[in-house]
């Protein structure tokens, strides 16, 4: 059992399996051996002082390098470089957040250079050589993390744009009857996609949004133009003024007559 301090860890596992437990959370990383070897990079954030326990349950000899950077150094790095929106910030904010990906040829070569530096290098030169390769690996790992984050965000951004197109189409045609099929056709998406993504981004269905916007327009017309309750009901898409009054009071807390100029 070991005590570990807050730090950002990058492990390059070239061969074998690593099994360890941190704060009762189990981690198993396996690069395989022989023809089945799949070298990988494993990133882990330890956000607070923790307890680490290694489990020796593999007979395959390990080949790995471990790179770690204390949290204060990572915070200093991001602060001095103005990286307030850095992809690392949310990763470093979560205790035991993790990310792994296959090790590229470049990463494997850098790891080999750390484990077997040129014999001509000694003392501080050997340390500088290893540290420079370790920083290169850390940089490549962070680039992979940023790329993965961008891949996750891409579908979210696309669905957000689709929902905004739905909203804009609805607002432009609020004065006439709309069907979900017509709206979906106008934005070039399926009905199910429109319904699902719109609710995800605006926390209401398309027709709840339509009713809300029509009620707001009716309320504005009552206050500004002094239209009749029947006219306001028609503007909000209600054929029965009493149903309009019930819906209006539910939203604004008072009957529509109290909003009329």
């Amino acid at each position: 059992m070991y005590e570990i301090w807050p730090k950002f860890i990058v492990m390059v596992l070239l061969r074998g399996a690593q099994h360890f437990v941190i704060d009762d959370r189990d981690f198993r990383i396996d690069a395989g051996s022989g023809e089945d070897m799949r070298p990988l990079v494993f990133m882990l954030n330890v956000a607070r002082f923790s307890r680490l326990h290694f489990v020796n349950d593999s007979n395959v000899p390990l080949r790995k390098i471990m790179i770690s950077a204390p949290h204060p150094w990572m915070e200093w790095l991001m602060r001095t470089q103005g990286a307030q929106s850095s992809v690392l910030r949310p990763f470093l904010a979560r205790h035991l957040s993790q990310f792994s990906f296959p090790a590229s040829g470049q990463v494997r070569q850098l790891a080999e250079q750390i484990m077997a530096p040129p014999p001509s290098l000694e003392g501080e030169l050997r340390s500088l050589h290893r540290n420079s390769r370790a920083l290169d690996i850390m940089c490549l790992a962070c680039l992979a993390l940023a790329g993965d984050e961008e891949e996750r965000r891409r579908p979210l951004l696309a669905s957000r744009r689709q929902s905004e197109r739905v909203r804009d189409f609805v607002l432009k045609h609020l004065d006439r009857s709309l069907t979900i099929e017509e709206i979906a056709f106008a934005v070039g998406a399926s009905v199910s996609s429109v319904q699902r993504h719109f609710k995800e981004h605006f926390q209401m269905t398309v027709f709840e949004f339509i009713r809300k916007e029509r009620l707001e327009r009716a309320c504005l017309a009552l206050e500004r133009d002094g239209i009749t309750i029947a006219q306001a009901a028609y503007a909000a898409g209600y054929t029965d003024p009493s149903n309009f009054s019930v819906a209006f009071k539910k939203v604004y807390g008072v009957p529509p007559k109290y909003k009329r100029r």
Side-chain angles (χ1 to χ4, degrees):
M1 185 73 70
Y2 303 88
E3 288 190 352
I4 52 174
W5 63 90
K7 56 185 175 178
F8 172 57
I9 298 169
V10 178
M11 178 199 300
V12 180
L13 190 60
L14 298 173
R15 183 184 64 204
Q18 183 84 83
H19 181 193
F20 57 93
V21 179
I22 300 179
D23 291 349
D24 298 323
R25 183 166 168 185
D26 201 68
F27 295 89
R28 294 175 184 268
I29 312 151
D30 191 353
S33 61
E35 294 181 357
D36 296 327
M37 277 198 306
R38 300 173 303 278
L40 58 87
V41 179
F42 176 75
M43 302 168 66
L44 178 67
N45 177 56
V46 181
R48 59 174 180 260
F49 284 96
S50 304
R51 291 185 175 275
L52 166 67
H53 171 61
F54 286 103
V55 181
N56 297 318
D57 54 6
S58 174
N59 295 323
V60 178
L62 276 177
R63 291 195 77 240
K64 71 170 186 177
I65 62 164
M66 183 83 80
I67 304 162
S68 64
H71 261 225
W73 184 79
M74 296 298 297
E75 288 292 336
W76 170 84
L77 183 66
M78 291 186 290
R79 185 173 61 251
T80 56
Q81 298 303 313
Q84 295 302 315
S85 60
S86 166
V87 70
L88 274 178
R89 193 163 292 281
F91 186 84
L92 294 176
R94 299 189 304 272
H95 183 51
L96 301 183
S97 54
Q98 60 177 305
F99 176 64
S100 62
F101 60 96
S104 66
Q106 184 179 7
V107 169
R108 294 199 300 269
Q109 184 179 25
L110 289 166
E112 294 288 354
Q113 291 175 9
I114 291 174
M115 291 187 288
S120 58
L121 295 178
E122 296 180 354
E124 66 274 12
L125 292 179
R126 176 172 289 199
S127 294
L128 285 171
H129 172 88
R130 283 176 164 159
N131 289 340
S132 67
R133 271 54 180 179
L135 287 172
D136 284 343
I137 289 174
M138 188 177 291
C139 179
L140 291 170
C142 291
L143 286 172
L145 177 65
D148 180 74
E149 181 68 20
E150 183 62 29
E151 286 297 315
R152 288 199 300 267
R153 289 178 56 197
R154 200 166 290 154
L156 182 65
L157 292 173
S159 70
R160 177 76 189 189
R161 293 190 190 102
Q162 174 191 290
S163 298
E164 288 172 349
R165 291 198 303 272
V166 170
R167 178 199 60 195
D168 294 344
F169 178 83
V170 165
L171 293 176
K172 186 176 180 180
H173 300 90
L174 203 59
D175 56 346
R176 64 181 181 81
S177 179
L178 293 169
T179 66
I180 192 65
E181 289 79 13
E182 179 186 4
I183 295 168
F185 179 80
V187 301
S190 68
V191 168
S192 60
S193 175
V194 165
Q195 291 172 324
R196 183 175 70 258
H197 294 306
F198 193 91
K199 188 162 188 179
E200 284 176 359
H201 291 291
F202 294 107
Q203 287 74 56
M204 64 181 76
T205 68
V206 174
F207 287 104
E208 286 171 345
F209 175 76
I210 290 173
R211 284 195 295 270
K212 180 181 79 70
E213 290 297 318
R214 285 175 173 168
L215 278 173
E216 287 182 4
R217 290 193 179 188
C219 182
L220 181 62
L222 285 166
E223 293 176 331
R224 184 187 61 199
D225 304 323
I227 64 174
T228 67
I229 304 301
Q231 288 172 324
Y234 178 79
Y238 289 83
T239 56
D240 187 342
S242 62
N243 290 339
F244 165 72
S245 295
V246 170
F248 190 96
K249 185 175 181 180
K250 187 175 181 180
V251 173
Y252 294 101
V254 295
K257 65 181 181 180
Y258 291 108
K259 289 284 186 177
R260 188 166 180 252
R261 190 182 67 176

